[in-house]
Amino acid sequence: TGTVTETVAHNAGANEVQTITLDAGVTGGTWPVTILGIPTGPFWHDETAAVIQAAFEEAIGAGNVTLTGADGGPDTVISLPRT
């Protein structure tokens, strides 16, 4: 399992930032993500950042999301533009 934490909200005058954290010891399975109300995934527990970013860009448009973090986590940081 994992959690999504919003660390910067859209109304804070900056890009929204969300952090996806997979629980320690996750060795299998998939997880979906809803981004701006649009479902994406499911992604494998050890999915590459490039694959996840491509799926997010397909959902909300190229150049509208920045994804950082090591492939397979444990933390993946998503930055979304202000609306």
Side-chain angles (χ1 to χ4, degrees):
T1 62
T3 58
V4 177
T5 306
E6 182 178 68
T7 52
V8 178
H10 269 137
N11 61 3
N15 290 352
E16 178 175 338
V17 176
Q18 296 181 0
T19 302
I20 300 170
T21 305
L22 298 180
D23 293 343
V26 172
T27 59
T30 61
W31 47 278
V33 174
T34 299
I35 186 167
L36 299 178
I38 302 168
T40 63
F43 302 106
W44 289 104
H45 73 285
D46 59 352
E47 196 69 77
T48 65
V51 168
I52 297 168
Q53 179 155 346
F56 289 171
E57 287 186 338
E58 183 177 325
I60 64 170
N64 289 322
V65 61
T66 302
L67 193 121
T68 58
D71 292 345
D75 294 328
T76 302
V77 179
I78 305 164
S79 179
L80 304 168
R82 287 185 299 147
T83 55

